[in-house]
Every structure is written in structure tokens, then in C-alpha cells.
Amino acid sequence: MEAVTDNLDLYWSGFLRSLGICLWAMVGSLALGTVIAACRVSPVPALQGFGAAWVTLLRNCPLTVVLFFVAFGLPELGINASYYVFGVGALILYTSAFVCEALRAGINSVSAGQAEAARAIGLTFTQSLSTVVLPQAFRSSVPPVGSVIIAMFKNSAVVGAFGVGRDLYSLSERLTSSQGLSFIPVLTGVAIGYLVITLSAGAILALVERKVAIAR
Amino acid sequence: MSTSVLYDAPGPRARRRSRIGTAIALLVLGTLVMLAVLRLVDRGQFDYELWAPWIDPSTDEFPLVWGLVGDGLRATLVAAALAIAFSLVVGVALGTARMMLGRAGRVPVIAFIELFRGLPVVITLVIVWRFFEELDLDISALPGEDGLWYVVIGLTLYNSVIIAEILRAGVASLPRGQGEAAMAVGMTRWQVMRTVLLPQAFRVMLPALVSQLVVILKDTSLAALLAFYTELLRRGNLIAQNLDNPIQSLFVVGSIFILINYALSRVAVWLERRLSRSRGSDAAVKAAEQAVPAT
Amino acid sequence: MRTRHTSRTRAAVVGAALALTLAACGGGSDDTPDVEVAESPEFEAGTTMAEIAERGTMTIGTKFDQPGFGLLNLEDVPEGFDVEVAKIIAGAMGVAEDDITWEETPSDIREQVIEDGAVDMVVATYTINEERAERITFAGPYYVAGQMLMVNADNEDITSPEDLASNPDAKVCSVTGSTPAENIQQYLANPDQLVLFDVYDKCADALSNGQVDVVTTDNVILAGFVSESDGEFKLVGEQFTEEPYGIGIEKGDVAFCEFINETLQENEDAYLEAWEATAGQVEGAETPELPEPAPCA
């Protein structure tokens, strides 16, 4: 285990870097996913089509390919940024499609009778949305959206593997291939780092789920 | 969308507004796409030489690159098919063990599940690859190249755990009366599981399994990052290095992935509809689907 | 640029009837020099050479993604200088091109595959250094590369590695786990300056689209990009390292090592021809002299 203990500072910075990628991508993909979901459920056909195309393309494309097109396609369009930003950006684009679908599943899980009843007692459109439909949709979206975010945390390792992260994953590559350290301790350290992130995220999600759970 | 819970069927005014909205949206999107295309033309990304090997059958490269892409696609499909088959077997074993074993026996199963569910797939792949290389474990007796089995084993470790969880959700979503009735007629716990619960859970799992195949297909491409198995994406990368057209080659490869995965996800949706129509098991299907998101 | 493969491909498509004729011609491709294949060479019993000659086949490790040295071409065969050098050595043991199995050996598994005996030798832009020599034996060197910097033609700020520290915003691109990537780190003001990809092609693209300012690796690889870029890129400064490329074989196989060194010395013409046909096609690439072999250990 010397490989881990000797390089503890490297592990720590790699861990923080990975955590940073995860958190930025979480905020970004929740925001973008909500926008795309709003497009998909909007009454405007063009927006619906846009949302559907977005989801279809990104959900069926490997993250590695999305990463490539962000890192090498955007500069061709004249958009330059650091590779860290591109890495997080690609993760956000990819995850937004899954967040959108999880949110939509939440909205669809609210039965039409709820909205009909709300209108029947005279609530306006805004009232029925804000007091009846969306609160229920939001609560039933929590478990699927949470799972999507945890899956995204795991996908963040791909950003490092692509070469743009300098996170936990890249660290393992650096220690084993350039410095020739034995892989078992190095990768054990990296694996523990990721498990800390995903398992604690899972625990937090379980807590939140219990809080917002609704019996149907 | 007439059944949307969010709003009523639109009236004339709403329809007019929607038309205006569509016009604006199309204008904005169209302008963005135009700008992007112009910029790419400017950067020479639409130059004929870059695309010719992929689209012009009269070039010498055309049959070669499509042949190589065919090889890559076959490699991807073989790895994915083996991975889903093994995942299914191991996953059902794990899931059943988790449900049937006593408290003490369950601990290692749960630990295994949580470990591989919590690790990024790419890390699992590296671990499998380096582990086999380092310990010099001989898998050359298995058909195919070694790299294939690193992919298959790595993806099986991750996906079997997911399938175990889908199975558990499927069984949990069955009405409790099913198990109770079987117990009441004198079946053992194992008989109940094998003859009553699992068969029903399998039906329920089917759409989730097909969705999981999409995940596996996408994950095979992680091998391209580690460069130990020449599947579709790595083929694309190697071709791009020969032709010096990475954007064009990756565009082709990406499109192939999207087409296949889209077709598969349509199959999953179709299965789901059929199953929930034929049986009142809509909730069960949903539960199995949501056990794990197909990212 | 790749059309030189054409005739070979068509020939391959013609069918099985012609296959025999082709085999009779040695099956050599028209773009690389035909390598002399020794007929039933004699070796001392028990040596690696005797074993290989007896077997009549070889498994050789090389890179599949290193243009100029070892790159899998569109016919699914690796081509490049490393590949040609390997063919010369194989030929001296009576192993023809068609009897060679090429194994892809990326940087981080090279020692491993040699130790495991998965390959007979590794010719894969393999820099000789002490760490590696503890696990395997190096024959050669057969080529000495030197690390350089490549920048955009209009870049006046960077003329040597020392300028990297004074331009802390400048980004340098190299390949993950490679020796150049390790070497350059001492010149950087901060680790954020370094960008690492899996292959140098991506670095060249990143330089072209302005994402990085410098690409660094061995001179001949950079020269390849410069000549392909139509004046977009240029090399700056001097070589600041010396990277002798060796041929990796099993640790302690001195007889095999000496045989490889002798073979290269005896086939200097074939060596130079191999260079001209591969890495040497790059404009501005200097034809190397065959370096004096290091003592085998």
C-alpha cells in the first residue's frame, strides 16, 4: 500500500478534482435536463421535436464519442475552453438526456385525474401546475433522477480516461504507466476514492427518497 | 400530447401561440445550425477529400474503411452479446442468492453487488485488464482474442450486478399473494422462487434487459480508451489516423452507435407496451425499469 | 497519400486462384522494400534463434497507433519503421513477413508481454532506460530520437522548452504515460499546462484548433505533422533529450540480443531502405545512421 500512502497528496488532489467534476456536472445536467424536459412537454411542436431529438441522439451515443465531439468539434466551431470545461460540458450534455427522461417519467406518473380534479374545483392553469401537478411530479422524480446523477458520478471517470480530467482516473494511469508502480495498490486507492463518492451519494439519495416518498 | 397532465387540449388561441412559438424556435435553431455549418465549411471540415473515403464508392479507401468498420461493428456486437449473456446468468444467480440466502450468506453477495455497482465501469475494465496481464492468468484457451474477454468479464461484473437488482425489483413488484398462495399449497421457498416468482419476474424484466443491452453496447466503446480491444470506436480512431479525418470518421462511427442503440431502445419500448397491455403488470415493469437507470 | 496500397488491395480481392501466384512472389507489398529471408539458417541448438527458425513463425509486439513507426493501415496490417526493422530481424531467422503475427503492445504493457513470453520481441518506439532494463533486455539501439517542440507557424513566444515556464498560459500536449510527457514536466510552471491524449494525432488537432500551443514528442513524429500541415506548424529549438529506441527481448537472452545487433549491422542497406520507405518519407526527416549497438546484458 506504499503506492497509496506515499502519494496521498496526489490522491487527495485527484479526489477533489473528481469531486469537482461530479458536482459541476450535477448542477449543469440538472439545469439543462430540466430545460430539455420543459421542451419535451411543452405544447410547441418544434420544441417537442428538438427535445426528442436531443434525447435520442445523446442517449444512444457512447459518452466517449460525445466527449470527442465536444473536445474536438466545438473548437472547430470557434468555441475554445479548457479541456476541463469541455470534459464537464460533455458530461452535462450526455447526462441531461437522462435527467430529462427521468423528469418526464415523474410528470407522466401524475395521473390525469389529478389535473382534471384541480381544474374542476376552479384552479387556474398556473395554480393547478404549481400546487397539484408539479409537486407530485417532483417527488416521484427524485428516485430516478437520483440514480441518474449517481450513474453520472461514475461516468465522470470516463472524462479522466479520455485524457482531459487530471482526476482520480488519470492519476492511476500516471502512477502505473509512467512511474511504474504496481497496479493493485494504485487502483485500489483509486477504486476507494470512487466508492467513497458513489456510496455516500447513494446514502444521501436514500435519505432524500425516504423524505419525499409518496405512496401511490 | 392530448392526454398531457400539464395542460388541456389547446383552443384556437393556444394553437396560434403554439404556431408562433414553433416559428421562433425553428428560426433560432435554424440560424444556429446555419452558423455552425458555415463555420465548419470555413474550417474545411466539409472538404470532399475528408469525406470521400466514407461516401464515394469509387475511391480505393471506400471498400477498405467500410470493411474495417464492419470488423469493428462485429467485434462490438460479439462483446456485447457475450456480456449480456453472461450478465444474465451471473445476475440471476446473484439476485436469487440475495433473495434466498440467510442473513450471513447474504453479506458477501451484497458486498459484491455494492462494490461493482459503485465502481465506474471504466475502472472495472482497467482492473480486469491489468489483473489478467499482471498475474499472467491464461485465458488463451477461450475463443477470440484476450482483449475480448477483458471487455466481456469487465462488463459482466458491472451488468450482472445491475441485472441482479432489476430481478430483485421485479420479484418485489409482484403481488404478495403470488408467493403466499404458492406457500399455502405446500411448496418450499425454493420451489416458490423457481416456479412462481422468477418466471413472472423474467417477463417483467424483459424491457429492462433490452435497455441494458444499449448500455452494454455503449460501454464496449470504453475499451477504445484503454486500447486493448479493437471494437467499433477504436477502429474509427485507427481509420482516422490513416485518413487524417477524425471528425468525419467519428461522425460515421457515432451514427452507427446511435442507429443501433435507437433501434434497440425502440424494441425495449415495444416490449414494454406489449407486456403492460397483455397483463396488468404495468407497475411491475416500471419498477424493474427504474431499479437502475440505463445510463 | 494512402493510395499506394491500391494495387495490393486489388490483388487481394482478385481471389483465391491468384493467392498461390502471389505467395510465390513472396507476397511482398509494393510500398515497402522486400526483406531478405534467409533459407534454412543454422543456429546453435538451444538458442532463441534456433527455436524461432525451427518454428518458422514469430510473434512481434509493436504499436498500432504510431504513424511512421507502427500504425495499423486500412488493410489491417501494421506499417512503419519499427515494423520494417522487425521484418529484417525476422528474415534473418528465416521467418517471412507472412509468418509474423503482430501483437499490439501499447506503452504500459510492453515489459509485461516480454516477461510472459507472449511475444518473441517488442519493436515499439521503445526508449531504452534503466528502469525497463531491470525487467527486460534491450538489443540495439536501432534509432536515436530526440524530443522537440512543435508550435503554430505564427507563434513567436515559444522557441525552447525554457519558454514554457515564462508563458504559464501556454498549454503543452503529449501522450499519456509517454516518456516525452514525463520529460516536459520539469519545464512547466504548473501542472495545468500539460494536456495528455491517447495519440499524437489528437495533439496535432488540438494545436490546429487552438486548444493547445505546443506539442512535444520525438522529432521525427513531429516532423511528420509539420510536413502534413502545409506550413501551419513548425518545429522550434533544439532536441533537448536523447531517446535511444531499443528492441525488447526476454531478460538475459544475450545470444538473441547479440544476434539482433549483428543482423542490423549486416543489413545496414535494408535498414536505410526501411527508413526511406516509412518514417523517412516525411519531409525534413533526416536519414539516421545506424547507431553503434550497446553491449548486451
Side-chain angles (χ1 to χ4, degrees):
Chain A
M1 281 326 274
E2 268 169 42
V4 178
T5 45
D6 288 356
N7 293 298
L8 219 50
D9 50 333
L10 279 179
Y11 272 99
W12 180 239
S13 70
F15 177 79
L16 289 182
R17 187 92 167 182
S18 282
L19 201 62
I21 293 177
C22 291
L23 294 181
W24 280 117
M26 177 173 83
V27 173
S29 57
L30 285 177
L32 186 59
T34 309
V35 173
I36 304 294
C39 285
R40 281 208 79 171
V41 300
S42 81
V44 181
L47 291 181
Q48 284 172 21
F50 169 73
W54 181 277
V55 169
T56 305
L57 287 179
L58 286 162
R59 229 167 40 140
N60 292 310
C61 194
L63 175 57
T64 40
V65 177
V66 177
L67 264 167
F68 172 84
F69 275 104
V70 170
F72 289 94
L74 290 187
E76 291 295 324
L77 294 174
I79 303 169
N80 284 71
S82 76
Y83 280 113
Y84 179 79
V85 171
F86 279 154
V88 173
L91 203 52
I92 289 174
L93 290 183
Y94 181 77
T95 314
S96 70
F98 296 91
V99 170
C100 164
E101 288 307 272
L103 286 174
R104 217 163 60 97
I107 292 171
N108 288 339
S109 75
V110 180
S111 73
Q114 297 280 338
E116 283 161 11
R119 272 179 228 120
I121 60 167
L123 297 188
T124 64
F125 174 69
T126 333
Q127 281 173 327
S128 107
L129 267 192
S130 64
T131 62
V132 177
V133 178
L134 288 185
Q136 296 186 61
F138 168 72
R139 285 160 77 111
S140 55
S141 297
V142 167
V145 171
S147 316
V148 164
I149 294 300
I150 292 178
M152 184 271 283
F153 287 174
K154 287 185 276 178
N155 282 333
S156 75
V158 178
V159 175
F162 187 72
V164 299
R166 286 205 308 107
D167 61 343
L168 272 175
Y169 179 90
S170 328
L171 175 73
S172 72
E173 204 147 67
R174 200 173 144 213
L175 291 181
T176 53
S177 69
S178 324
Q179 303 190 9
L181 295 177
S182 166
F183 94 106
I184 292 181
V186 169
L187 273 173
T188 308
V190 169
I192 290 173
Y194 279 109
L195 284 175
V196 166
I197 294 179
T198 56
L199 291 182
S200 49
I204 293 172
L205 176 63
L207 270 181
V208 177
E209 263 179 44
R210 212 170 310 143
K211 265 215 125 96
V212 301
I214 25 172
R216 269 195 214 283
Chain B
M1 289 310 283
S2 57
T3 55
S4 170
V5 65
L6 295 176
Y7 41 82
D8 274 322
R13 246 172 66 198
R15 275 208 295 275
R16 195 166 57 237
R17 248 185 285 145
S18 146
R19 271 201 298 275
I20 295 171
T22 296
I24 294 174
L26 283 180
L27 200 69
V28 172
L29 287 175
T31 316
L32 285 177
V33 170
M34 271 285 286
L35 283 175
V37 167
L38 284 178
R39 172 82 201 182
L40 288 178
V41 169
D42 204 37
R43 287 281 300 174
Q45 292 296 349
F46 282 103
D47 287 0
Y48 175 73
E49 303 88 73
L50 293 177
W51 289 94
W54 289 110
I55 55 172
D56 186 350
S58 68
T59 57
D60 299 318
E61 292 93 346
F62 183 84
L64 296 176
V65 292
W66 282 103
L68 289 178
V69 161
D71 291 346
L73 183 57
R74 193 165 343 111
T76 288
L77 294 177
V78 166
L82 287 171
I84 190 90
F86 283 113
S87 303
L88 196 56
V89 175
V90 180
V92 169
L94 278 175
T96 316
R98 183 168 186 180
M99 288 182 284
M100 299 292 291
L101 288 176
R103 198 173 282 263
R106 223 165 25 205
V107 171
V109 178
I110 293 178
F112 182 87
I113 290 178
E114 289 298 325
L115 173 65
F116 286 105
R117 204 163 67 136
L119 279 182
V121 189
V122 66
I123 300 278
T124 307
L125 282 174
V126 178
I127 291 175
V128 169
W129 172 43
R130 297 304 300 257
F131 193 79
F132 277 88
E133 292 283 344
E134 204 103 348
L135 299 187
D136 197 17
L137 293 175
D138 192 18
I139 53 168
S140 52
L142 296 169
E145 33 181 328
D146 288 0
L148 168 66
W149 291 97
Y150 303 150
V151 181
V152 170
I153 295 169
L155 292 185
T156 299
L157 283 174
Y158 175 70
N159 289 286
S160 62
V161 162
I162 300 297
I163 286 174
E165 291 297 281
I166 296 176
L167 182 74
R168 204 165 62 104
V171 169
S173 70
L174 296 173
R176 285 188 55 184
Q178 297 275 348
E180 287 165 358
M183 291 281 209
V185 298
M187 288 185 175
T188 62
R189 276 183 70 228
W190 171 237
Q191 278 176 320
V192 174
M193 181 60 75
R194 195 169 50 91
T195 61
V196 179
L197 299 181
L198 284 185
Q200 298 190 64
F202 278 136
R203 270 179 67 91
V204 165
M205 276 168 65
L206 210 53
L209 273 182
V210 177
S211 311
Q212 203 57 32
L213 191 52
V214 173
V215 178
I216 290 181
L217 265 172
K218 286 193 290 182
D219 283 351
T220 54
S221 73
L222 293 175
L225 294 176
L226 309 173
F228 59 70
Y229 184 57
T230 308
E231 42 62 69
L232 184 55
L233 179 57
R234 182 155 159 76
R235 277 285 173 205
N237 282 332
L238 288 170
I239 291 170
Q241 276 193 289
N242 273 287
L243 300 174
D244 283 325
N245 62 351
I247 302 243
Q248 291 70 18
S249 296
L250 265 290
F251 177 81
V252 170
V253 165
S255 306
I256 296 174
F257 267 115
I258 291 174
L259 281 177
I260 293 177
N261 287 332
Y262 179 68
L264 275 175
S265 50
R266 294 308 302 174
V267 171
V269 170
W270 176 78
L271 276 173
E272 195 174 327
R273 288 229 181 95
R274 242 188 81 115
L275 285 174
S276 56
R277 204 178 330 130
S278 65
R279 287 281 217 73
S281 59
D282 190 32
V285 174
K286 279 264 146 54
E289 281 272 280
Q290 286 186 2
V292 190
T295 48
Chain C
M1 191 193 148
R2 301 282 161 187
T3 43
R4 51 205 160 91
H5 301 295
T6 335
S7 53
R8 190 180 168 197
T9 321
R10 290 212 183 110
V13 181
V14 171
L18 271 178
L20 283 173
T21 336
L22 274 174
C25 300
S29 56
D30 44 31
D31 57 332
T32 52
D34 279 329
V35 172
E36 202 180 314
V37 179
E39 290 214 11
S40 50
E42 296 286 327
F43 297 105
E44 201 178 315
T47 57
T48 311
M49 295 81 83
E51 190 201 313
I52 289 171
E54 171 79 14
R55 220 189 309 146
T57 62
M58 269 186 99
T59 305
I60 301 173
T62 191
K63 295 234 173 122
F64 281 11
D65 54 13
Q66 189 75 82
F69 285 83
L71 174 65
L72 205 61
N73 66 19
L74 295 180
E75 283 144 37
D76 213 15
V77 192
E79 63 179 21
F81 185 53
D82 284 343
V83 173
E84 294 308 315
V85 167
K87 282 183 199 166
I88 295 174
I89 298 162
M93 288 179 286
V95 178
E97 187 183 337
D98 294 342
D99 296 320
I100 299 173
T101 309
W102 300 102
E103 184 87 25
E104 182 176 14
T105 47
S107 297
D108 40 7
I109 67 162
R110 287 176 298 201
E111 291 89 51
Q112 197 69 51
V113 292
I114 295 171
E115 284 178 338
D116 295 350
V119 296
D120 295 305
M121 62 184 191
V122 167
V123 194
T125 62
Y126 203 174
T127 303
I128 299 174
N129 69 30
E130 279 174 27
E131 258 170 53
R132 289 169 179 163
E134 277 171 24
R135 295 177 67 181
I136 60 152
T137 288
F138 281 107
Y142 61 95
Y143 177 73
V144 181
Q147 191 170 347
M148 280 184 88
L149 304 180
M150 177 171 80
V151 296
N152 276 312
D154 56 5
N155 187 330
E156 301 296 332
D157 301 330
I158 311 251
T159 53
S160 75
E162 284 76 24
D163 292 337
L164 293 173
S166 45
N167 289 283
D169 288 335
K171 295 262 190 287
V172 187
C173 190
S174 197
V175 162
T176 316
S178 66
T179 319
E182 282 300 299
N183 287 339
I184 199 71
Q185 294 196 9
Q186 55 179 306
Y187 294 102
L188 302 179
N190 63 67
D192 279 324
Q193 283 184 277
L194 188 61
V195 172
L196 297 172
F197 283 117
D198 51 348
V199 292
Y200 290 110
D201 275 35
K202 290 210 174 100
C203 284
D205 289 332
L207 182 62
S208 162
N209 64 35
Q211 278 290 119
V212 301
D213 307 278
V214 184
V215 177
T216 184
T217 180
D218 297 341
N219 47 357
V220 61
I221 295 172
L222 294 179
F225 289 122
V226 170
S227 81
E228 273 175 23
S229 75
D230 290 327
E232 196 189 342
F233 304 148
K234 67 179 181 191
L235 292 181
V236 289
E238 300 286 313
Q239 294 185 7
F240 55 94
T241 64
E242 223 173 57
E243 311 284 344
Y245 289 173
I247 295 168
I249 57 173
E250 203 187 326
K251 176 85 185 152
D253 196 344
V254 175
F256 192 27
C257 170
E258 278 165 357
F259 170 76
I260 292 174
N261 288 344
E262 279 162 29
T263 306
L264 288 177
Q265 295 297 327
E266 282 163 16
N267 291 281
E268 202 167 349
D269 292 344
Y271 168 90
L272 293 175
E273 245 180 87
W275 174 267
E276 298 296 341
T278 55
Q281 292 211 326
V282 161
E283 222 175 290
E286 280 172 45
T287 304
E289 273 177 38
L290 183 60
E292 203 53 38
C296 290

